[in-house]
Structure formats: structure tokens, C-alpha cells
Amino acid sequence: MLQLRRTLALLRGETGNQRARTGSTFPFLNSTDASSGLVLQSQSTDVYQNLALEDWIDAHVDLQQRGILLLWRNRPAVVIGRHQNPWSECNLPAMREMGIALARRRSGGGTVFHDHGNLNMTFFASKKAYDRKRNLKVVTEALRRLRPNLDIQATDRFDILLKGHYKISGTASRLSRKSSYHHCTLLYSADRSALSTVLRPSCPGIQSNATPSVPSPVANLIDHAPSLALEELLEALVQQYNTEFGFSSACTLVDPSDESAFPGVGTMATELRSWDWTFGRTPKFRVETLLELRDEQPPARCSAQLQVEVKAGQVESCRLDVPASWIPLRLSGQLSDVLVGERFCPHRAAAAVAAMLRSERGQFHSRLHNLCEAVLAVMG
Amino acid sequence: MAAYALLRSMSSSFPSVLPLLSRSGSLSPAPLAITPFFRRTLASSSRFSAALKFTDKHEWVRVEDDGVGTVGISNFAQEALGDVVYCGLPEVGTELVQQDEFGALESVKAASELYSPLTGEVVEVNSLLADNPGLVNKSCYKDGWLMKMTIAKPAELDSLMDEAAYERYIRSIED
């Protein structure tokens, strides 16, 4: 406990005169000019809290002379890169059904699936010391020591491949004022079925300049090294981190929701949870798709074209081309108008069209209802 | 009017005139009345005569005639970034305080945060970058500009480095 409090005080830069702390076992207290390291493990499985912790460390810890490795896992979540489009990267309706969260991180890169079987590692360093290759060497060397028979290689895209083919790790990073963080995933025993279900587009026909993901076949370490325990893996990674960087840091547990240890972290997590950050930061995009409309009594069908421009997650313009023989132009026009200015979100849109549906009680009610459903389905 | 005739003849032979005009910081009272004309013609012929000021985060700002500041990143920064694949820029109307994070440039290297060189309001964002983010690499001082903002506190410009000071700064961090 005393050790943890000291660690956290050090992180906040409240060290004062370090030499006055006699008898401390922390390496950076004993060394005068050498760089020092710290290994932290998050106790939280909340993706927003963990992402907020990363931002907190980056903003508040002096990394000019220090390196930090943060180990963390999340309960099921999809994490998209800074400039990605969630509607094109993941299946939002499926995620809602499965209770899988969506988070947008501040680093670049592509979309990944997190769950308890995925281990995240964040390497914090100064901008000068930023070296993804070296960080990945920590991971590949640790794995090679644990299981020398495994074919593990880092690529020049900073992926880690198993057997030259299966992606077990992806990388992303962020550079800020003076510091950097490089984080990567490591698929240990993730739910691959959930992964492939959620890493699909929510709707077809999206045109966007958002940064795309590069899909890859994946594998879990556990399937190729069945006797490998997670604890063993964690220990090996910590040891290899210390070896690679010349540190001798033990692993300290941290609670990213602890406001006294990390003042302001709660506000950061709140921002990461917000709709404005997660969806509102999506680069402007356009959806062009065909809607298949149908009647049951008597059976009839019709195709309609939908064109929507979405800016900052909101409908900027909407054009619905529904044949006048199917439904009066005034009704499809009204629907388009009602959606402009609303969030590109099925719940918000449903609320917006509800009044319109209520007031149209005539012969076109059911076709209008069907049209609304078809449009809402496009919104994920 | 003789002065006016003089102006017109000068404006037709810019290359020789430009250095002279940009060096003259303070003009005597009489020509001051016609100074705006000089500056407008200068700007339309060559943007590079307007001085760039630099931040220690490698952003530059150039004050245009209309008092608006154009902001971009330096050659040092674009080289360090590598090929830019996406420019995350603010919405027009965003109010920024000096040193506020205002966006990020994504390259294969990382997402790199951008910091506002001044306090002001975003009035324009470079729309060419949406389809051509590589302009930041190819033409960081010209076509690859990022945004334009009002200059709410002109005194902040004094806290920025001029080109010579920035060059010295780069040399010092490269060591």
C-alpha cells in the first residue's frame, strides 16, 4: 500500500527531494541520472476508464527520463481509431444486442475487438524515445522465450504475426507535446466468433475518407500454445520490458477510477464516453444505398434510393427517391426533411419520425411505416 | 498623384522591388496613407514575403493582410511525421486558446496532436486536405495549410519564433 501511494505520488510529480526517501526500492529513486521505468497493471475492465488513464499518464507524467508500461484488459468492446467511421467499421446493431461497448481512442490506426482474452500493452515514452519496433521486440522476445517453437514475427506495419499469417497483435500510437504512447493488442484467448460478428459494417454504401482498417485473419495464442497461462504471459512481458530497457520495476496495480490518485481522470473518461466524441468525431461521410420496400396485404415490392450526408454524426442532407406510385412524394419528402439536423442514430431518428407517423393515419400509413423502418435500419 | 504614378511603375517590376518593400518596417507619414496598397499588391504576387512565426511544436502562423492568421506545420514536422493519411481539423467557429489541442494529423507513424499557435476563432479549414492529405507533406507552407483563425491577442505573436530563431531551435533539438 505504501509502495502504491509512493508510485502514484511520483507519477503526479510530487516527489520533491527524491534523495530524502532513503531505503526506497524504486529504481528511479536510487539512480540520479539514469532513466527509470514503471510497470502498471489496471484493475479496471472499463474501456473508457482505461483509455482515460492512458491520456492522464500522457498529460501528467514527466516521461522525459522515464518509461512506463501499462497492462490492461477490457470487458467486450470495439475500439475504433481516432479518425475512423464506426458505421463502416463495426456492426452497431449487433453490438447493442450483445452489450458490447464502442469506444473511439485518441491514437490512430484501425478497429480492434477487446475482451478478457485480449491483453493491451501501452508503452509510454518521451517523443525522442518513441520506438515501436523496440517495444514490439519486448512482446516477440517474451513470447519466444516462453514458447521457442512458436513462429512469431513483427511486420513493418507493426503487426505481430503467428506463423507468418495470423495477426495476434495490432499497433497504434499518439504523439503529443513532449510524450508519446504506443499501444498494442495481444490476442490470447479472445472470443473470435464475437470478433468476426462485430467487425463488419453496420450499413452498406458508405463513402468516406475516414481511415480504413486493414482486415486480417486472426488467431489466439492459446490455440497454438494451449499450456500457456495468462499469468505466465504477463510475467514474461514485464520481465522482458525490464530487460529491454534496463529497468527493474515490479508490477503495480492501479485503479483508473481513483480520482485521488489520478485527479481529473473521471472527466477524461466522461469525454470518451460521450456521443460527441465517439460518433460526433466521425469524418464527414455519405451513404448511398437502395432500400427494399414491401407490402404484405396484397404483396408488393419497390426499390427506393437513399442518399444521406452525415457531418459530425448528424444528418446534413437527406434525399429519398421513392417512386410516387408507391407513396406520395410529399410523404417521402417530409421524411427527408424531418431527418435533417438529427443525429444519424436510429433512436433519435425514430423519435423524430414518430410525430409524422402519428399524423399520417390514411391509406399510406403502413407503407410510410415500412419506409421509416428501412431508413432507420441504415443508421445502425 | 506623382506618387501614384511612381507606385504603378514599381508594381510592374516586382522582383527588384520586393526585398526593398519588405525590409522597410516604418515608412514616413506621407507614404503611410498608401501603405495598404503596397501590401495588397505584395500579397497577391508572393505570399512568401509575409513573415512566418513558429511555435516549439513546429506549427507556423502567417498573418495575412486581412489580419487573419494562416496556420500550418513546418517542414521539419512534416518530415518527422511521414506520409499524412488523414487531417483531423476543427469546425469553423471553434474558439481556441493558445496551445489548445485543435486537431491531429494521422500518418503511418502515429496520430500527432496539433496545438494552436494563437488565441482566436477558426474561420476557415483547408478543404483540399480531405481528399489530398498528402498536401501537408508536399507543400507544408503553401497548399498544405491547415486552418485560418482570427488573432484575438496579437501580442502572442511576439512569443513565437521568427524563422531564424526556429532554425536555431531545430538544430538544438536535433543534437
Side-chain angles (χ1 to χ4, degrees), chain B residues 153-164:
Chain B
K153 300 182 179 177
E156 284 176 342
L157 285 161
D158 300 332
S159 67
L160 304 179
M161 293 178 265
D162 64 18
E163 201 163 333

Side-chain angles (χ1 to χ4, degrees), chain B residues 139-152:
Chain B
S139 178
C140 59
Y141 294 114
K142 200 166 159 243
D143 300 326
W145 61 274
L146 299 174
M147 64 155 184
K148 293 185 199 255
M149 62 188 298
T150 60
I151 302 176

